[in-house]
Amino acid sequence: TKQQRKAEAASEFFRSPPQDDKQLRRLFSAAVELDMLCAVAWFNYGGVLHRAGDNARASVAWTWAALLCPVDLESWLNVFSLSLMSGQLTYAAVAAETAMRFNGRRFLIAMQTQTRDLPPELRTAIDEILLELESKYRARQLGSVVRLVGHGGDYERFQVRPGD
């Protein structure tokens, strides 16, 4: 059975802040009954899961929110930060790069603002990611990029074998 989207009705559940996480879980269930693709419901559900210590599921909920509303910088930042803190560096990098594709420099600026007060060693790692994302962003602005991958190479670097 094809679901009928009722985005406005689903979003109405979140017009006023819920009293507690238990009520928010009920609101999430009711909202996704009306519209499984309600980004607000997924975002709020991610917060409930995170506060409950279920960071793996919180990351999934925030990923859904970000994909359903790609210009929602807070969802992308939550996915990136939670992935980084849990040691899922590949997932954090993919989230950051995807957020950049949708939001460009807005994402970089938001990330710099949100991570300003972190410990220096974590801030340095994030700055390195930001610099790499910025260089990829600039390359995309210049036009299409074709990557040729030889034996021993990967998507980021082309390695020439001796004799090639």
Side-chain angles (χ1 to χ4, degrees), residues 51-90:
R51 285 190 295 279
D54 192 348
N55 291 332
R57 289 177 55 206
S59 184
V60 171
W62 281 326
T63 300
W64 272 107
L67 292 171
L68 292 169
C69 183
V71 295
D72 180 0
L73 294 174
E74 193 170 357
S75 291
W76 288 117
L77 289 169
N78 287 348
V79 172
F80 174 79
S81 300
L82 198 56
S83 299
L84 198 62
M85 290 186 307
S86 64
Q88 297 176 330
L89 302 181
T90 301

Side-chain angles (χ1 to χ4, degrees), residues 36-54:
M36 184 59 98
L37 303 178
C38 179
V40 174
W42 284 104
F43 180 84
N44 287 323
Y45 190 52
V48 169
L49 294 168
H50 179 61
R51 285 190 295 279
D54 192 348

Side-chain angles (χ1 to χ4, degrees), residues 103-123:
N103 298 286
R105 290 192 178 172
R106 287 181 49 240
F107 177 71
L108 293 177
I109 292 166
M111 191 186 296
Q112 286 174 326
T113 303
Q114 292 291 339
T115 60
R116 190 172 300 164
D117 299 325
L118 292 176
E121 62 279 358
L122 188 55
R123 181 70 201 160

Side-chain angles (χ1 to χ4, degrees), residues 104-164:
R105 290 192 178 172
R106 287 181 49 240
F107 177 71
L108 293 177
I109 292 166
M111 191 186 296
Q112 286 174 326
T113 303
Q114 292 291 339
T115 60
R116 190 172 300 164
D117 299 325
L118 292 176
E121 62 279 358
L122 188 55
R123 181 70 201 160
T124 300
I126 291 172
D127 284 343
E128 288 174 12
I129 293 169
L130 290 174
L131 286 171
E132 186 172 333
L133 286 173
E134 177 67 18
S135 67
K136 285 182 180 182
Y137 178 76
R138 269 187 267 118
R140 282 193 188 96
Q141 298 301 85
L142 296 174
S144 299
V145 175
V146 175
R147 296 192 186 270
L148 302 173
V149 180
H151 175 75
D154 63 22
Y155 179 77
E156 298 300 325
R157 292 174 291 285
F158 177 71
Q159 298 176 356
V160 178
R161 289 183 297 172
D164 282 352

